[in-house]
Amino acid sequence: MADKPRIKLPKEATKGEIIQIKTLVSHVMESGQRKDAQGKPIPRKIINKFSCEFNGKPVFACALEPAISANPYIQFTARVDEDGTFKFAWTDDDGTVITAEEKIAIKA
Amino acid sequence: MPYRHVGLLAAVVAITALAGVPAAAQDAGRKGIPAPPGHVFKTIISGYEFRTKETRAVQDDDLENPGFLAVERAADVWKKVEGSEGKSCMSCHGEAEKSMKGVGAAMPKWDDKLKKPVNLEQRINMCRSEHMKAEPWAFKSQALTDMTTFVRYQSHGMPVAVKTDGPMSPWFERGKQIYYTRYGQLDLACASCHERNNGKFMRADFLSQGQTNGFPTYRLRDQRLVPLHERFEGCMFDVRAEPFKPLSDEFLALELYVGWRGIGLPVETPSVRN
């Protein structure tokens, strides 16, 4: 949980360019369907929501379901028109939010 | 419902018929390295070549490959002081990128003090208990597997180079003996699948040569990194045998011998397999 999410996007882009963003976060994604050695159900613990915003505006968001495997990898694209910061947030079932941010600049 | 049974039987026959045929055709596409003289294989092929292109793509992308989460975790632990000596890995070894280069590719190595070969997990724990005076990590624990992956990753792309001569030769022979011994209710030896039948399609999967160059490997099935001895255990369990214990002399001998079977293959740790 304390792991830093892994994010890859270019440091620079031309104005209006569509860039690819890759994210990988460390998480168990326990589905809630499994039982432990004593036969007791293991409580569900997944990331149920991912969102990304650029300079405060939403860029991409999705809901995650229990069938998604551990360490979810999410890849999407975004158009960049100005310098700014991408903010990423992964929301856990228990309410904790893993956050990260990445800056991008417009090529002069 | 007799019709369904007929259908199932027909399907089984079809699969069996298929399984034998395309093995050779599949081989053609698998790239390997030429084996040294006297080796069991003509061409040594990494497990990577037996996986689907989707699985390979996950391994090839350094960001997408979940094994790197472990590498990054252990890179932090490398610098962390633990134990009563007030030392971290870094206190003695400095930058892992330099000091650990090639170390993982040559494991297991002979230890003069213990008079036996020692693998990477054991070496890490010896460092912890002897030099750092810290608690050794349990086998299969995330901490130990992470550190093993991190150290082995420093040899990424370097050829597997285990030494099998000198005091290692009786261990090599022991490993070889285990490799060719049939175990379990299914009465299968390692060689039954990985030497005589690699490349064939079995249980919805291609049998590989059973190479170890990618370990610890991120298994999609387990959704985590799996160390080599756990995989050995899994194989023995699958043939319904009673597995040897992880880090036992038997598995160590086998690790050495199987390492030799893949001699020269590039280290792929952290690899991704199904």
Side-chain angles (χ1 to χ4, degrees):
Chain A
M1 263 290 277
D3 300 354
K4 241 177 61 186
R6 311 187 83 217
I7 295 164
K8 192 174 178 185
L9 56 90
K11 292 244 178 309
E12 282 186 330
T14 51
K15 192 172 157 59
E17 190 182 339
I18 292 167
I19 59 156
Q20 191 180 58
I21 303 175
K22 296 176 172 183
T23 69
L24 180 73
V25 69
S26 171
H27 197 279
V28 290
M29 295 297 279
E30 187 58 61
S31 69
Q33 307 283 336
R34 301 197 306 163
K35 287 176 177 154
D36 63 13
Q38 279 78 45
K40 275 189 262 159
I42 305 170
R44 180 182 126 154
K45 184 179 164 54
I46 66 165
I47 284 171
N48 57 44
K49 192 173 167 262
F50 168 76
S51 66
C52 169
E53 53 183 48
F54 182 61
N55 290 348
K57 276 192 297 200
V59 170
F60 177 83
C62 65
L64 283 82
E65 303 293 342
I68 292 171
S69 55
N71 308 323
Y73 170 77
I74 300 169
Q75 179 186 320
F76 53 95
T77 51
R79 204 176 80 178
V80 194
D81 286 324
E82 53 184 358
D83 290 357
T85 312
F86 281 101
K87 283 191 177 166
F88 305 89
W90 291 262
T91 313
D92 193 297
D93 272 345
D94 66 13
T96 53
V97 182
I98 306 167
T99 56
E101 52 181 67
E102 236 15 86
K103 281 191 173 51
I104 190 162
I106 297 295
K107 268 185 224 165
Chain B
M1 285 183 283
Y3 290 108
R4 183 178 287 179
H5 288 285
V6 171
L8 185 67
L9 187 67
V12 169
V13 170
I15 290 167
T16 320
L18 272 174
V21 185
Q26 286 288 342
D27 276 349
R30 294 198 180 106
K31 287 185 209 72
I33 56 163
H39 200 277
V40 282
F41 295 120
K42 272 198 200 103
T43 311
I44 303 177
I45 307 169
S46 165
Y48 175 87
E49 299 287 331
F50 293 84
R51 300 283 69 93
T52 60
K53 65 178 193 303
E54 292 83 3
T55 308
R56 293 187 212 179
V58 176
Q59 173 174 329
D60 291 340
D61 187 331
D62 277 6
L63 190 111
E64 194 178 346
N65 183 344
F68 280 92
L69 290 165
V71 171
E72 286 178 356
R73 272 195 299 265
D76 291 338
V77 178
W78 179 265
K79 298 175 195 144
K80 198 169 129 203
V81 174
E82 274 185 272
S84 59
E85 290 285 306
K87 282 183 187 169
S88 67
C89 304
M90 206 174 177
S91 316
C92 298
H93 297 292
E95 297 291 336
E97 287 72 15
K98 278 189 204 134
S99 64
M100 291 297 123
K101 203 170 184 208
V103 171
M107 288 303 214
K109 241 181 196 162
W110 183 256
D111 186 280
D112 270 333
K113 258 203 289 183
L114 291 174
K115 301 258 178 275
K116 59 180 273 192
V118 163
N119 76 359
L120 200 48
E121 278 98 343
Q122 289 170 319
R123 172 61 62 200
I124 290 167
N125 268 339
M126 280 158 67
C127 257
R128 284 182 66 82
S129 49
E130 286 170 26
H131 302 296
M132 295 164 72
K133 302 267 184 257
E135 274 294 300
W137 286 313
F139 185 76
K140 280 188 203 175
S141 65
Q142 193 190 45
L144 183 57
T145 308
D146 282 0
M147 188 53 77
T148 310
T149 308
F150 174 69
V151 173
R152 195 121 199 270
Y153 171 63
Q154 309 308 328
S155 306
H156 193 98
M158 295 172 72
V160 171
V162 285
K163 282 220 162 60
T164 55
D165 51 354
M168 289 292 238
S169 51
W171 288 80
F172 178 81
E173 291 304 324
R174 175 87 180 99
K176 184 175 178 181
Q177 190 209 336
I178 293 170
Y179 196 90
Y180 287 100
T181 304
R182 289 171 178 272
Y183 288 98
Q185 289 179 329
L186 298 190
D187 203 30
L188 291 168
C190 308
S192 314
C193 293
H194 297 294
E195 182 171 307
R196 291 171 50 196
N197 288 302
N198 71 70
K200 290 189 184 161
F201 198 62
M202 189 186 81
R203 295 174 70 197
D205 195 9
F206 285 104
L207 284 169
S208 74
Q209 287 188 346
Q211 300 294 359
T212 58
N213 58 318
F215 279 89
T217 181
Y218 191 90
R219 290 196 74 194
L220 300 172
R221 162 187 184 277
D222 295 299
Q223 308 184 20
R224 64 182 170 85
L225 281 154
V226 171
L228 181 60
H229 288 201
E230 185 181 347
R231 189 68 193 87
F232 282 165
E233 264 189 308
C235 259
M236 292 193 78
F237 181 84
D238 287 345
V239 302
R240 301 186 195 163
E242 198 170 313
F244 298 116
K245 295 273 168 289
L247 309 181
S248 63
D249 286 355
E250 286 85 358
F251 274 168
L252 216 67
L254 192 59
E255 178 175 352
L256 175 72
Y257 177 69
V258 178
W260 171 80
R261 291 178 73 94
I263 200 145
L265 276 180
V267 171
E268 285 175 25
T269 311
S271 66
V272 179
R273 302 284 188 265
N274 45 352

